[in-house]
Amino acid sequence: MLIKTPKNSSLKDSAVTDESVYHDRRNILKQMGFLGAGALLGSAVTSKASAGFFSDDKPSFSTKALTYSKDTKNVGLLKTPEQKVISHNNFYEFGAKKDQPIELSQGFKVDPWQLTISGECDKPITLDYDDLTTMLPLEERIYRMRCVEAWSMVIPWVGFSLADLLKKVAPNSRAKYVAFETLYDPEQMPGQASRRLGGGIKYPYVEGLRIDEAMNPLTLMSVGLYGKTLPPQNGAPIRLVVPWKYGFKSIKSIVAIKLLEHQPPTTWNKLAAREYGFYANVNPNHDHPRWSQASERRITSGGLFARNRIATLPFNGYGDEVADLYRGMNLSKYY
Ligand code: MTE
């Protein structure tokens, strides 16, 4: 894998938005009537998480150590500290605020779990919880993750290529797309039970890829980070990671993968099609209608709003591996 470390941007801070960006994303939901003032300003339910946010407080979920081969190619990337990776999350099933998932997901049960892979294939399968970490050899992948809200992290994931998983079910010639679905369980996921808490999303959260995107070696099914199983707020027990696309494509807590002939609907596209496309490739030349995508705030070891502004790279710096997938396509039309 080619390593490209983003250079410091020559952009002025005033040319880009900062933490206001993701408040803006939440504001559109508020304007649509989905988030109450309580949710925006913080409420009693989040007070514990806020107190521990980015501090040394240890969250109460339990994770177990994984056996995996180390990433030897991307060791030069400066990783985002684990405490930030697990406490600054987008997981609307557990609340639309960044500090709600760590608080509201701690009782989330991941064992037993079932992941069904079906559709246009010859050998559909259902995996259980143990299969997820034993069926394929696990490897570490240190990837940049760029959120559409213009912040980014560098995360050491543990998992296996989606391609290796899909090969097990023998996709047939009609398999042109892959659809993914998150668990639907309003009793465990309070954001699914409350339109306010869950940002007005129609659950279950769904995502999709073209089959060639799914088969690209970079596309990862992650079962862990920082050498341990995933904490609930990061998408336990299994999630997708597509490092050249905006983070919302990387769907969490997956229970179903389906091979399809036609392009499947996707959650954020259904909610606001003008803002979130099916492709969602990281593209500094195609702004979000309400903010610039030219640069991003890399979350490192500084404070939450530490000034750490870097230029955003096309395909999040993975162009050498994936640009060919989109040859001849107008990336502003297919955003
Ligand atoms: N998957 C589900 N099911 N629900 C979500 O709200 N949020 C997405 C994505 N996957 C989301 C999801 C968004 S917007 C981002 S940026 C990433 O998860 C964040 O992943 P992280 O919290 O592990 O950093």
Side-chain angles (χ1 to χ4, degrees), residues 25 84-85 88-95 98 101 145-149 151 153 155 157 181-183 189 192 201 203-207 225 230 233-235 239-240 246-253 268:
R25 191 177 183 201
K84 293 191 178 181
V85 176
H88 179 268
N89 298 105
N90 274 332
F91 200 171
Y92 281 58
E93 285 86 338
F94 294 105
K98 296 285 175 288
M145 185 183 75
R146 169 63 155 82
C147 180
V148 74
E149 297 162 341
W151 53 264
M153 295 187 183
I155 304 176
W157 301 106
E181 193 172 305
T182 294
L183 177 71
M189 296 175 142
Q192 292 180 337
I201 287 176
Y203 294 103
Y205 194 104
V206 288
E207 257 306 335
L225 58 83
L230 289 172
Q233 64 273 24
N234 291 91
R239 68 175 292 171
L240 183 69
Y246 292 118
F248 66 84
K249 297 295 288 183
S250 293
I251 180 172
K252 298 177 171 181
S253 305
W268 282 96

Side-chain angles (χ1 to χ4, degrees), residues 283-334:
N283 186 352
N285 303 314
H286 181 82
D287 286 341
H288 185 279
R290 289 178 293 117
W291 59 80
S292 165
Q293 294 292 22
S295 73
E296 66 205 54
R297 184 173 52 84
R298 174 65 50 83
I299 298 180
T300 55
S301 50
L304 173 56
F305 300 124
R307 291 194 170 232
N308 201 5
R309 178 72 54 186
I310 56 176
T312 289
L313 297 172
F315 302 110
N316 203 20
Y318 298 99
D320 285 4
E321 286 98 330
V322 300
D324 273 352
L325 295 171
Y326 310 102
R327 200 152 295 288
M329 277 176 75
N330 177 347
L331 295 179
S332 279
K333 185 171 173 208
Y334 297 102

